[in-house]
Amino acid sequence: MASPSNLSQKGSLPKWRFWLPLLLQLGIVLLIPARQALTLAVGTTIYLQTAPVDPYDLLRGRYVTLGYVVARRSTLEQLPGWLPDLETLGILYLRLAPPEGDPTQPWQAIGVSREMPKDLQPEEKVLRGWFDGWQLKLGTEEFFIPEAAGDALEEDIRRYPEATRAEVKVDPWGKAALVGLWVGEHRY
């Protein structure tokens, strides 16, 4: 008859069967914020003019819903590179040029395409987003804020909607990460 110690050794699993799935799960969980961290680390700072959002539903919980002038369909349709086949759902690349003078002013959209532009000027940047038929979703449409700053931010945005702009980092592949929100000269 087998002793209890022999049975536990025979019935036990090899250690790799425990560690491999655990490491795979951990890797998947870490990849999600790693992409954002990479954009923040290597990205270039640009500023985007926000578009008016429903003022009665501006703050929902602890975040502000943002829209961007450069991401509107009406803006995209006016850009070089816009073709009827871009109206379908899918990834679009938005070409941006820096503002004249003050680098904290909003960047201007100068082109749109389905493919990543290859002939960028050194000062130009590209945003990659998902076109949903109405606007280009950049992944920076929600800005989470401390509860204490919510009332002041809401009041500033209502008073000065044209002076509201987002501070965004853009990596070389066009992925964007929201860094801050500016209303006039005040940063949130």
Side-chain angles (χ1 to χ4, degrees):
M1 186 160 158
S3 70
S5 64
N6 288 345
L7 283 177
S8 67
Q9 287 178 352
K10 277 186 172 180
S12 67
L13 293 174
K15 288 182 182 180
W16 69 268
R17 286 193 174 191
F18 170 77
W19 289 107
L20 183 63
L22 182 67
L23 289 174
L24 285 173
Q25 290 174 16
L26 182 63
I28 290 169
V29 169
L30 291 176
L31 278 177
I32 295 167
R35 180 68 179 144
Q36 183 91 351
L38 177 65
T39 299
L40 290 170
V42 303
T44 301
T45 301
I46 67 169
Y47 295 86
L48 299 175
Q49 180 69 48
T50 60
V53 179
D54 181 2
Y56 299 105
D57 195 20
L58 183 63
L59 290 177
R60 290 190 259 165
R62 295 186 186 174
Y63 68 92
V64 177
T65 302
L66 301 172
Y68 301 102
V69 172
V70 295
R72 290 178 171 171
R73 181 183 177 131
S74 59
T75 301
L76 297 172
E77 288 175 339
Q78 303 303 312
L79 296 174
W82 179 264
L83 300 169
D85 69 324
L86 296 183
E87 294 177 6
T88 60
L89 304 179
I91 293 171
L92 292 181
Y93 292 89
L94 184 63
R95 189 179 203 151
L96 300 170
E100 296 284 329
D102 185 358
T104 65
Q105 292 307 304
W107 286 50
Q108 300 301 311
I110 59 169
V112 64
S113 64
R114 272 285 178 216
E115 303 296 324
M116 177 71 141
K118 297 183 183 354
D119 60 342
L120 287 177
Q121 298 301 313
E123 69 278 0
E124 294 176 352
K125 298 296 171 208
V126 173
L127 282 175
R128 179 182 191 265
W130 177 263
F131 185 64
D132 66 6
W134 298 103
Q135 65 182 338
L136 190 61
K137 299 284 188 172
L138 304 172
T140 58
E141 286 78 19
E142 294 177 349
F143 180 64
F144 292 87
I145 58 170
E147 189 111 4
D151 291 339
L153 175 59
E154 183 177 15
E155 181 61 29
D156 279 354
I157 291 174
R158 285 181 201 267
R159 268 209 234 148
Y160 312 108
E162 69 287 340
T164 305
R165 61 196 185 283
E167 182 179 346
V168 176
K169 286 248 185 171
V170 181
D171 69 19
W173 305 277
K175 292 297 252 176
L178 186 57
V179 177
L181 192 61
W182 289 79
V183 181
E185 298 306 312
H186 190 253
R187 184 178 193 266
Y188 289 93

